[in-house]
Amino acid sequence: QLLESGGDLAQPGGSLGLSCVVSGFTFSSYAMGWVRRAPGKGLEWVSSVSGSGATTYYADSVKDRFIISRDNSKNTLYLQMSSLRVEDTALYHCARSVRSSGWDAAFDLWGQGTMVTVSS
Amino acid sequence: AIRMTQSPSSFSASTGDRVTITCRASQTVSSYLAWYQQKPGKAPELLIYAASTLQSGVPSRFSGSGSGTDFALTISCLQSEDFATYFCEQYYSYPPTFGQGTKLEIK
C-alpha cells in the first residue's frame, strides 16, 4: 500500500513537501517514482529514485526545483518542491517501479495521490 | 522526448463488446511499453508491461500487442468494471512519457 500526503494550496514561487508512506513490501528493494496528473490532462512522469536512494532522475519541467529522496528506515518516499509554478498544479501519485534501480521500467503499484494546487 | 499518441481519445461501448485502443510512438520504443487503467478517484493500475505481458492478477480478457511504434490494448469482452481511462507509457527513452489517455464510457 502507498499513502501520499502533504498536498495543499501553495503560492507561485512557494514550496511544498510531499510524503509517501509504504507498507506491505520491502521498500528498499524497489525504485520509486512520482507521477502527476494535471486537471483535464494525462499522466506525466516527474521523478524517480533508486532503491538505495543513490541515484535520482527528473523530468526537465521540474529539474532544479524538485528533489526526490527516500528514507528506507521509515519506508517513506519524499518530494520536496520549490519555486512552484501554476503549471505544477496536479494530483501527485507515488508509484513503485518493477525494478530496484533506473527509470526505465513500468510502475506496478500506485497510491491514490495527493493534490497540489499552485495559485495566488 | 518521445510523444505517445493514443486513439481514440474517448469512445462508447457496451458490455460484452470487444474493444481495441491504439498507442503510437513518435519513434521506436521497442517493446518497452506499458498500459494502465485508471478509474475516477482511484490509483492507476498496471495492466500490461513489455507491450504484451499481462501483469499478475489482471484478467485474461486484457491483452497487449505491438512493437516499435504501434501498439494496441484489446479487451476481449467488456465488463462493467472496465469502463475507465487507459494510458500507455513508454519507458524505452528518457524521459518516460505517457499517452494522453483514452476514456472508455458506457454506451
Side-chain angles (χ1 to χ4, degrees), chain A residues 37 43 58 103-104 107 110-111, chain B residues 36 38 43-44 91 93-94 98:
Chain A
R37 186 174 184 188
L43 295 168
Y58 298 94
W103 55 268
D104 52 339
F107 293 110
W110 297 63
Chain B
Y36 301 90
Q38 187 173 28
Y91 48 95
S93 173
Y94 187 86
F98 292 84

Side-chain angles (χ1 to χ4, degrees), chain B residues 21-102:
Chain B
I21 298 168
T22 64
C23 178
R24 173 165 287 178
S26 60
Q27 59 192 79
T28 185
V29 299
S30 185
S31 294
Y32 290 75
L33 186 108
W35 288 98
Y36 301 90
Q37 176 195 70
Q38 187 173 28
K39 298 177 183 179
K42 299 286 188 179
E45 292 188 12
L46 176 64
L47 301 174
I48 302 281
Y49 62 93
S52 60
T53 302
L54 193 68
Q55 171 69 355
S56 176
V58 174
S60 59
R61 62 180 180 274
F62 291 91
S63 63
S65 62
S67 66
T69 60
D70 293 298
F71 301 87
L73 172 71
T74 298
I75 310 172
S76 60
C77 182
L78 268 177
Q79 303 298 303
S80 57
E81 60 266 32
D82 299 336
F83 293 96
T85 299
Y86 294 85
F87 294 93
C88 60
E89 180 207 8
Q90 70 81 20
Y91 48 95
Y92 176 75
S93 173
Y94 187 86
T97 47
F98 292 84
Q100 82 280 12
T102 295

Side-chain angles (χ1 to χ4, degrees), chain B residues 8-25:
Chain B
S9 296
S10 66
F11 73 103
S12 300
S14 302
T15 304
D17 285 353
R18 177 185 178 90
V19 300
T20 297
I21 298 168
T22 64
C23 178
R24 173 165 287 178

Side-chain angles (χ1 to χ4, degrees), chain A residues 82-99:
Chain A
S82 60
S83 302
L84 283 164
R85 304 168 180 168
V86 171
E87 54 265 34
D88 294 321
T89 295
L91 184 66
Y92 284 73
H93 298 275
C94 69
R96 185 182 78 173
S97 171
V98 300
R99 293 179 51 189

